[in-house]
């Protein structure tokens, strides 16, 4: 059984933070909190996942999951938006397949989250022995 570890990314004004919770390996999630009055409250964010298409798997077997939709809060922007990455990486003998999604989350005054921008980068590579 794995351990749980945490990381926090505070906004510059200290009124928001992203909590990254790592439960063993290969899982890490992000939860966002906003200061409302004198308490921090969790803000519901959209489901943030990324899939690796069959084309990227290149017909290979990938029994090992290196990152399972690993969510990382990267930075808070001046406008209050939050940049996140979501990584999905699988590998096997001689081949690695991955998908990385970059998401820009915006928040309205009530704290409701909305995806402002989302891009995905795929990689399929043969590993050297």
């Amino acid at each position: 059984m794995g351990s749980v570890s945490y990381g926090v990314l505070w906004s510059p004004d200290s009124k928001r933070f992203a909590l990254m919770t790592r439960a063993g390996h290969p899982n890490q999630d992000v939860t966002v909190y906003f200061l409302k009055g004198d308490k921090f409250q969790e803000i519901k964010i959209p489901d943030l996942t990324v899939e690796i298409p069959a084309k990227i798997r290149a017909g290979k077997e990938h029994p090992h999951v290196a990152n399972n939709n690993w969510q990382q809060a990267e930075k808070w922007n001046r406008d209050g938006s939050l940049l996140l990455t979501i990584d999905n990486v699988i590998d096997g003998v001689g081949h690695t397949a991955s998908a990385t999604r970059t998401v820009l989350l915006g928040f309205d005054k009530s704290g409701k989250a909305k995806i402002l921008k989302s891009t995905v980068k795929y990689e399929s590579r043969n590993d050297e022995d």
Side-chain angles (χ1 to χ4, degrees):
M1 182 179 287
S3 62
V4 177
S5 60
Y6 302 93
V8 176
L9 180 66
W10 284 95
S11 66
D13 64 5
S14 298
K15 293 182 180 178
R16 303 164 301 231
F17 67 92
L19 176 65
M20 291 158 281
T21 305
R22 178 179 176 180
H25 183 75
N27 304 302
Q28 179 168 290
D29 296 318
V30 171
T31 308
V32 177
Y33 294 87
F34 270 55
L35 184 62
K36 290 192 179 184
D38 61 351
K39 296 179 183 174
F40 282 97
Q41 294 183 356
E42 182 178 342
I43 300 298
K44 182 170 172 38
I45 61 174
D47 184 30
L48 300 174
T49 60
V50 63
E51 298 300 322
I52 301 172
K55 179 180 175 183
I56 302 302
R57 295 175 188 200
K60 310 275 186 186
E61 292 292 321
H62 300 92
H64 178 251
V65 176
N67 287 340
N68 183 25
N69 285 300
W70 181 278
Q71 299 176 358
Q72 179 76 32
E74 301 291 344
K75 76 173 190 171
W76 287 98
N77 296 311
R78 289 186 188 266
D79 65 1
S81 61
L82 177 62
L83 182 67
L84 298 118
T85 54
I86 302 91
D87 289 310
N88 210 349
V89 181
I90 54 176
D91 55 22
V93 177
H95 191 262
T96 300
S98 65
T100 299
R101 181 178 178 192
T102 303
V103 174
L104 184 63
L105 279 184
F107 302 90
D108 65 16
K109 295 222 185 260
S110 70
K112 184 175 180 182
K114 175 180 165 183
I115 295 175
L116 301 176
K117 185 177 180 183
S118 177
T119 58
V120 179
K121 178 182 174 189
Y122 300 105
E123 184 178 8
S124 174
R125 79 170 181 272
N126 292 317
D127 302 321
E128 294 181 20
D129 295 320

